[in-house]
Amino acid sequence: MAAAPVRQRSGPGGPRAQLPPCYYEGYLEKRGPKEKFVEKLDLSGFVSLKDDCSRDRNLEAARLILRMKDGETKLTAPNLESRELWKGFLYSVVDLNVPSCLTLLPGQLQMLREIVDKERSRRRNRTPTRAPPSPLSVPLVGEIPPCFRPVSRTEAEVLLERHPDCGNMLLRPGRDGCSLAVTTRQDLNGSVFRHYRVTQRDQGGYVIDVENPIPCATLHEVIDALVEKTAGTLQPFLLEEPYEENITYVSANDENGEKILHTAPSSPLPKAPALPPKQDRWPSSPLSRSPAPDRRILTSPAPASPTNPMRRLILSPSPLAQTLNEELKMKLEMRRATQD
């Protein structure tokens, strides 16, 4: 069994379509009383893949259930490691994304990434048999509801069945490209799908084409009308896209060059130590300040000359000292005058 979708052969006498490349080969046992032959499965109808915890005669074997649009297929892998690898290939080819919920080695994860790139390139290069309907072929009135999905009828059924917790009603383009449609899914001993045509009126607005047509001004009212008519049984399909919970990066090993996927640490980065508060050069209290010293001013009375390269420095008193000297000189002169 190969983890790749299989194209159907053309009719008698027509050219044989090429099969897509084989990404992985191995043995899977298809369980059932009449299932004793090799079979190819088309993964275009893939819905889900889950582990089967029932015991097998071979204690090392690991079971799984492949759920397709047309039914379930019970498979058995040789061991747990083989089952995880098969699940990785199947999810990668169907979703074009490497699953993060499986227990795989770094080399196996890298192999799945390469397969996703190859499958994307293969799908881009293949010639589509029929152009998908475009929602822009008809000018829409008002805002588009969040449950709108640009998918076909079959893709809408697969989405609703694969994600039952996200709602059971979605709006999509009609098959003719000139109308819209609402696809619903409910459980009644299995999935029950219904499709309702929504056309745009010439005078504006929309109408749900049922036995008693339901006119609506906007597409939001179309969805609200179906929710109201079914007493809330139908709910809009709102699929939340998954986001990564951790930051990852790829680096090469210095010894063997093998690329490894790393997970960045989740703890916050250490903060730089805070600098101590800047202190004033002088104390804040005026009483603690020491008196200003008697500063002397050094002056150079004359520039240096060729004959005297050294400047002569003269020490001159400060203005405060000069004033004290003049007062002392006046007092001495007055004392001398009284003595005479």
Side-chain angles (χ1 to χ4, degrees), residues 117-266:
D117 295 336
K118 293 179 181 179
E119 180 64 13
R120 285 176 178 170
S121 177
R122 186 188 72 87
R123 294 187 186 184
R124 284 195 300 264
N125 296 333
R126 69 181 181 182
T127 303
T129 56
R130 180 176 59 88
S134 173
L136 301 179
S137 60
V138 177
L140 303 180
V141 177
E143 297 182 358
I144 300 178
C147 64
F148 176 82
R149 291 277 167 173
V151 295
S152 64
R153 172 184 287 226
T154 302
E155 292 170 339
E157 294 179 355
V158 172
L159 269 178
L160 293 176
E161 191 165 21
R162 188 182 298 179
H163 307 281
D165 297 334
C166 298
N168 56 2
M169 172 178 58
L170 64 79
L171 181 68
R172 61 177 178 82
R175 183 174 297 180
D176 56 2
C178 299
S179 62
L180 298 169
V182 173
T183 299
T184 66
R185 173 190 174 274
Q186 298 182 74
D187 287 324
L188 182 62
N189 298 326
S191 297
V192 177
F193 296 99
R194 292 292 182 267
H195 305 273
Y196 304 95
R197 183 188 299 274
V198 179
T199 57
Q200 189 170 355
R201 299 187 299 179
D202 296 336
Q203 61 271 28
Y206 299 89
V207 60
I208 304 175
D209 288 337
V210 290
E211 185 176 358
N212 295 320
I214 305 174
C216 302
T218 63
L219 291 176
H220 280 278
E221 290 190 11
V222 170
I223 302 300
D224 293 340
L226 292 173
V227 173
E228 181 181 357
K229 294 289 184 182
T230 59
T233 302
L234 296 180
Q235 290 295 323
F237 180 80
L238 302 177
L239 178 62
E240 295 183 1
E241 300 295 339
Y243 293 93
E244 299 295 335
E245 297 181 354
N246 298 304
I247 299 175
T248 58
Y249 61 95
V250 177
S251 63
N253 192 314
D254 296 335
E255 297 180 358
N256 53 19
E258 181 182 0
K259 292 184 178 180
I260 304 176
L261 181 67
H262 299 274
T263 301
S266 57

Side-chain angles (χ1 to χ4, degrees), residues 19 25 29 47 64 75 94 99 105-106 120 134 136 138 147 169 181 197 230 246 282 325-326:
L19 295 176
E25 288 184 342
E29 178 185 354
V47 175
L64 67 159
L75 304 171
V94 172
L105 298 175
R120 285 176 178 170
S134 173
L136 301 179
V138 177
C147 64
M169 172 178 58
R197 183 188 299 274
T230 59
N246 298 304
W282 304 101
N325 291 336
E326 291 179 356

Side-chain angles (χ1 to χ4, degrees), residues 291-314:
D294 185 11
R295 298 182 181 179
R296 304 285 179 167
I297 302 176
L298 299 178
T299 60
S300 177
S305 60
T307 58
N308 185 20
M310 299 296 293
R311 293 184 179 181
R312 185 163 56 90
L313 301 179
I314 300 176

Side-chain angles (χ1 to χ4, degrees), residues 1-67:
M1 183 174 181
V6 179
R7 294 182 184 177
Q8 300 293 335
R9 298 183 182 181
S10 58
R16 181 177 179 179
Q18 290 185 348
L19 295 176
C22 180
Y23 299 133
Y24 179 67
E25 288 184 342
Y27 290 99
L28 281 178
E29 178 185 354
K30 187 175 180 184
R31 290 181 283 125
K34 300 181 181 180
E35 308 297 348
K36 296 183 179 180
F37 55 88
V38 179
E39 183 179 356
K40 295 184 178 70
L41 298 178
D42 187 357
L43 297 179
S44 60
F46 177 86
V47 175
S48 64
L49 183 66
K50 64 179 181 179
D51 296 341
D52 185 357
C53 299
S54 59
R55 299 290 297 273
D56 192 87
R57 289 177 298 177
N58 181 5
L59 299 180
E60 295 183 357
R63 295 181 171 184
L64 67 159
I65 298 177
L66 175 63
R67 189 176 183 185

